[in-house]
């Protein structure tokens, strides 16, 4: 074993442990590893910085702004209200109306704002029509994940893998290429939720704070639920030391975490990312802190529609439709021949759409940096450098050679299954982009040493990295609905593990048929 291989292996193990322990944001963990590789001469300055100028990474940044533009027009909240039945209905019928549409939306928009908008509206609606909100919130999160599997822009991981494919010298993925398998998985997953979510998901869990809610409202106070984000300044601090009431003018009455309601000795509780705080406050709280990056979501259980000019809603939706149509048309051979000097790809149309939205003020252009998840972008940029380090050091070839030596009698399809399982496990434990960074060079080396087309392995990574259903920590949307739905960790395992297995079986069976070895 060479010095470089030893350094990379130790660093990668340390990275995985650090991500699991969640002592630091993923972007900083990966950046630390990248700097270590740079200092050891495993990657060059150019290779260290290439990810920060990668087209896929910049596309993800602009998609954050596009999602924010659509969100601020109120187009999504208006749509979900029209989808929700206002008369007496059943869980099955209500899911049949909303879940396919949510999956379709999430194929083209960032999942997090979709869930942030839909989750409180769906919860309030369910309570109003006397249906358990717990039967809807996890399915809402899951279908956004399923929808994201269907397009290149559906999730940042798809764009990361596409960027790595191009860097490796292969032709990148087209807009709907992943949909050849993603749509089948999405439809099957939605049918599974229709049939089994009513049985596998819990009935409504009463919030301890809800018992006094009416009393608080009568005394000119409101109950507000606030989900803490990664940028909240009190993360890992005791509530008593942070003094939430002095900072925000609101009193914390309950902390909801992993399906548990904490109401006693709150001053001694350490605040964690994803905690849902039940606050006693007034009407000014959401107005003052609604745009704060410290909170992922604020909801006061009031179904208030955003007051925005209707033309902005239609204009935002029209821009989205034109962007998607432009990507599809721009990929046609005839169009490529007509304008050979201009590449009309997704990056082109996303760039144009972002600038139009900024100048028409669909999102506040002076605050545009606020709506971009910089940690995600740093994670993506570092993922490219880590992948390059695994190739340069020989780690990818060494591990692939060992696997082939031990599994030489097995065909590529079994190795494809192994790639799915490993990627999916890493996704549940760390982050999807970090999982893709670790597995991509290994998959590429395996395919090259076996002498087969690597594309089936690349598509498998896309599917496996997105299929985060068994835990609330693997995907941010799962974490968001955990608090407001008061779900336990085991609720995700009970309904999500079968969905992971369904995704695995369909991927391993269909991918080699569509992209032969």
């Amino acid at each position: 074993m060479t010095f470089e291989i030893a350094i990379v292996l130790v660093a990668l193990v340390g990275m995985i442990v650090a991500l699991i322990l969640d002592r630091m944001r993923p972007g900083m963990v990966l950046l630390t590893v990248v700097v270590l590789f740079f200092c050891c001469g495993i990657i060059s300055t150019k290779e260290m910085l290439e990810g920060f100028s990668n087209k896929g990474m910049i596309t993800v940044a602009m998609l954050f702004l596009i999602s924010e533009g659509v969100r601020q027009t109120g187009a999504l909240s208006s749509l979900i209200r029209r989808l929700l039945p206002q008369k007496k209905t059943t869980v099955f019928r209500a899911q049949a109306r909303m879940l396919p549409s949510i999956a379709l939306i999430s194929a083209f928009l960032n999942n997090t704002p979709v869930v942030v908008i839909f989750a409180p509206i769906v919860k309030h609606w369910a309570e109003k029509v006397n249906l358990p909100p717990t039967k809807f919130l996890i399915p809402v999160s899951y279908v956004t994940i399923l929808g994201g599997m269907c397009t290149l822009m559906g999730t940042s991981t798809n764009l990361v893998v596409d960027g790595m494919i191009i860097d490796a010298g292969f032709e990148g993925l087209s807009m709907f290429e992943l949909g050849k398998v993603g749509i089948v998985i999405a439809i099957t997953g939605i049918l599974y939720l229709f049939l089994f979510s009513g049985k596998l998901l819990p009935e409504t869990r009463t919030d301890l704070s809800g018992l006094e809610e009416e009393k608080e409202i009568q005394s000119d106070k409101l109950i507000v639920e606030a989900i803490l984000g990664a940028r909240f300044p009190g993360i890992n601090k005791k509530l008593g030391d942070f003094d939430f009431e002095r900072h925000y003018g609101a009193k914390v009455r309950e902390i909801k975490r992993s399906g548990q309601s904490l109401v006693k000795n709150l001053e001694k509780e350490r605040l964690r990312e994803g905690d849902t705080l039940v606050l006693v406050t007034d009407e000014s709280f959401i107005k003052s802190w609604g745009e704060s990056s410290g909170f992922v979501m604020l909801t006061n259980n009031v179904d208030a529609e955003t007051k925005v000019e209707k033309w902005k809603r239609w204009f935002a939706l029209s821009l989205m439709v034109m962007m998607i149509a432009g990507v599809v048309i721009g990929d046609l051979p005839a169009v490529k021949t007509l304008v050979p000097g201009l590449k009309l790809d997704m990056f082109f149309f996303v760039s144009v759409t972002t600038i139009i939205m900024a100048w028409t003020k669909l999102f506040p252009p002076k605050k545009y940096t606020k709506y971009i998840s910089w940690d995600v972008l740093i994670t993506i940029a570092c993922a490219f450098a880590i992948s390059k380090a695994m190739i340069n050091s020989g780690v990818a070839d060494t591990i692939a050679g060992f696997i082939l030596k031990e599994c030489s009698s097995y065909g590529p399809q079994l190795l494809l299954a192994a790639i799915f399982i490993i990627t999916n496990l890493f996704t549940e434990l760390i982050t999807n982009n970090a999982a893709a960074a670790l597995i991509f060079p290994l998959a590429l080396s395996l395919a090259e040493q076996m002498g087969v087309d690597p594309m089936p392995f690349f598509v498998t990574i896309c599917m496996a990295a997105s299929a985060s259903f068994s835990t609330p920590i693997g995907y941010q949307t799962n974490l968001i609905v955990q608090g407001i739905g008061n779900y336990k960790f085991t609720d995700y395992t009970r309904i999500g593990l079968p969905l992971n297995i369904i995704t695995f079986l369909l991927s391993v069976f269909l991918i080699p048929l569509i992209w032969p070895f």
Side-chain angles (χ1 to χ4, degrees):
M1 181 183 293
T2 66
F3 170 76
E4 288 187 340
I5 290 177
I7 287 291
V8 171
L9 287 176
V10 170
L12 292 180
V13 171
M15 181 187 81
I16 293 169
V17 172
L19 289 170
I20 292 173
L21 294 177
D22 197 26
R23 296 295 176 85
M24 199 176 286
R25 295 300 299 151
M28 185 54 66
V29 173
L30 268 68
L31 183 59
T32 302
V33 175
V34 169
V35 172
L36 175 63
F37 292 157
F38 174 65
C39 292
C40 293
I42 297 170
I43 55 175
S44 65
T45 304
K46 181 182 178 183
E47 289 169 334
M48 178 182 175
L49 298 175
E50 274 178 349
F52 291 92
S53 61
N54 182 268
K55 186 161 50 172
M57 189 275 287
I58 298 173
T59 301
V60 172
M62 290 188 289
L63 285 173
F64 279 122
L65 297 177
I66 290 173
S67 296
E68 183 63 24
V70 175
R71 185 191 74 81
Q72 292 211 11
T73 63
L76 293 181
S77 56
S78 178
L79 174 62
I80 191 64
R81 288 186 179 92
R82 285 172 171 78
L83 290 174
L84 295 172
Q86 300 304 313
K87 298 180 180 178
K88 188 176 180 180
T89 186
T90 64
V91 171
F92 179 85
R93 289 178 181 175
Q95 286 184 347
R97 283 184 59 129
M98 75 171 79
L99 296 188
S101 299
I102 295 173
L104 179 63
I105 292 167
S106 65
F108 305 104
L109 288 176
N110 185 275
N111 293 355
T112 301
V114 171
V115 173
V116 165
I117 292 169
F118 287 179
I121 294 175
V122 169
K123 181 185 179 183
H124 183 227
W125 163 83
E127 290 170 342
K128 191 166 65 175
V129 296
N130 296 318
L131 291 175
T134 46
K135 303 293 185 183
F136 298 96
L137 296 174
I138 280 182
V140 166
S141 175
Y142 283 178
V143 295
T144 62
I145 297 171
L146 291 168
M149 293 180 176
C150 299
T151 67
L152 181 58
M153 65 187 294
T155 174
S156 62
T157 310
N158 292 348
L159 289 165
V160 169
V161 174
D162 181 59
M164 291 180 176
I165 292 172
I166 295 170
D167 284 350
F170 298 93
E171 186 176 349
L173 300 167
S174 62
M175 177 67 164
F176 294 105
E177 189 167 0
L178 293 173
K180 295 174 184 177
V181 63
I183 290 174
V184 177
I185 293 172
I187 291 173
T188 307
I190 291 171
L191 290 174
Y192 162 76
L193 292 172
F194 286 162
L195 296 174
F196 296 103
S197 62
K199 300 173 184 177
L200 296 176
L201 288 171
E203 297 297 326
T204 300
R205 293 193 176 105
T206 304
D207 297 342
L208 297 182
S209 61
L211 299 175
E212 301 177 19
E213 182 173 351
E214 188 175 336
K215 177 181 175 181
E216 297 291 350
I217 292 176
Q218 289 174 352
S219 59
D220 297 326
K221 294 291 183 180
L222 294 175
I223 300 296
V224 173
E225 290 184 319
I227 299 178
L228 304 185
R231 298 186 189 181
F232 181 74
I235 293 295
N236 294 326
K237 294 181 181 178
K238 290 183 179 180
L239 181 61
D241 295 338
F242 180 69
D243 196 353
F244 191 97
E245 188 169 4
R246 181 175 65 83
H247 280 86
Y248 296 100
K251 184 176 181 180
V252 180
R253 189 167 65 181
E254 178 186 355
I255 299 176
K256 294 196 286 186
R257 178 189 297 153
S258 301
Q260 294 181 326
S261 293
L262 308 175
V263 293
K264 295 181 180 179
N265 299 319
L266 293 182
E267 303 299 310
K268 298 180 180 179
E269 290 291 333
R270 289 190 181 275
L271 299 174
R272 304 177 190 171
E273 180 185 357
D275 279 353
T276 299
L277 306 187
V278 180
L279 311 173
V280 180
T281 184
D282 55 32
E283 294 181 354
S284 65
F285 182 83
I286 290 183
K287 293 179 182 178
S288 301
W289 301 105
E291 296 295 326
S292 170
S293 58
F295 301 108
V296 177
M297 184 176 71
L298 297 175
T299 172
N300 60 357
N301 209 29
V302 176
D303 194 12
E305 191 166 356
T306 307
K307 294 181 180 180
V308 181
E309 299 94 324
K310 284 188 176 180
W311 74 265
K312 283 192 173 183
R313 294 180 184 177
W314 288 109
F315 185 59
L317 293 175
S318 300
L319 283 176
M320 284 293 300
V321 171
M322 287 189 289
M323 180 184 74
I324 296 163
V327 174
V328 175
I329 295 171
D331 200 41
L332 297 175
V335 177
K336 291 180 180 179
T337 305
L338 188 64
V339 282
L342 188 61
K343 193 170 184 180
L344 300 177
D345 58 0
M346 184 166 65
F347 179 76
F348 175 88
F349 287 102
V350 168
S351 301
V352 172
T353 304
T354 302
I355 295 304
I356 293 174
M357 282 190 167
W359 282 96
T360 54
K361 296 186 178 180
L362 295 187
F363 61 83
K366 291 185 178 180
K367 299 180 181 179
Y368 78 97
T369 56
K370 188 177 182 180
Y371 308 117
I372 297 173
S373 180
W374 296 102
D375 187 74
V376 171
L377 298 186
I378 292 171
T379 301
I380 292 171
C382 292
F384 286 93
I386 290 172
S387 179
K388 185 66 72 175
M390 291 179 69
I391 295 171
N392 291 354
S393 65
V395 164
D397 288 340
T398 301
I399 297 176
F402 174 78
I403 293 172
L404 288 176
K405 182 181 178 182
E406 297 298 322
C407 308
S408 57
S409 59
Y410 303 115
Q413 190 153 6
L414 191 61
L415 292 176
L416 192 78
I419 289 292
F420 185 101
I421 293 171
I422 296 169
T423 306
N424 195 236
L425 181 62
F426 278 152
T427 294
E428 297 286 9
L429 292 176
I430 50 177
T431 69
N432 45 7
N433 291 319
L438 288 172
I439 304 303
F440 183 89
L442 175 60
L444 177 61
S445 185
L446 273 174
E448 288 176 345
Q449 293 186 40
M450 285 189 295
V452 299
D453 189 341
M455 190 56 72
F457 292 94
F458 299 157
V459 176
T460 298
I461 292 172
C462 289
M463 296 299 114
S466 293
S468 180
F469 305 113
S470 300
T471 72
I473 60 176
Y475 219 91
Q476 190 178 33
T477 57
N478 290 345
L479 202 60
I480 291 171
V481 299
Q482 183 186 30
I484 65 170
N486 214 16
Y487 291 112
K488 295 179 180 179
F489 193 100
T490 52
D491 294 329
Y492 289 86
T493 306
R494 188 184 306 111
I495 190 171
L497 186 57
L499 192 51
N500 273 95
I501 295 171
I502 289 169
T503 306
F504 166 73
L505 293 175
L506 287 175
S507 297
V508 172
F509 175 72
L510 291 175
I511 289 173
L513 296 179
I514 301 169
W515 296 273
F517 292 109

